[in-house]
Amino acid sequence: MNVALAVPQAVAPLLGALLVAAAGGFRPLFLLAAACAAGGAVALGRVRGVR
């Protein structure tokens, strides 16, 4: 369980830095983050309840 929580926290800054460097700014990074948040909200909205 620890690896499942630690690896994304270690990899995300690297991927974010690569995206900022490739795109030339922070706007694409924030747009990607907003799209992920919206996708997560849609996915959770489809959950009917807990058993």
Side-chain angles (χ1 to χ4, degrees):
M1 180 96 174
N2 188 26
V3 173
L5 296 174
V7 171
Q9 291 179 359
V11 174
L14 176 65
L15 295 178
L18 291 174
L19 180 62
V20 168
F26 282 94
R27 180 170 285 175
L29 181 64
F30 289 133
L31 290 174
L32 178 63
C36 289
V42 169
L44 285 178
R46 298 179 56 98
V47 175
R48 295 185 186 203
V50 180
R51 292 183 189 187

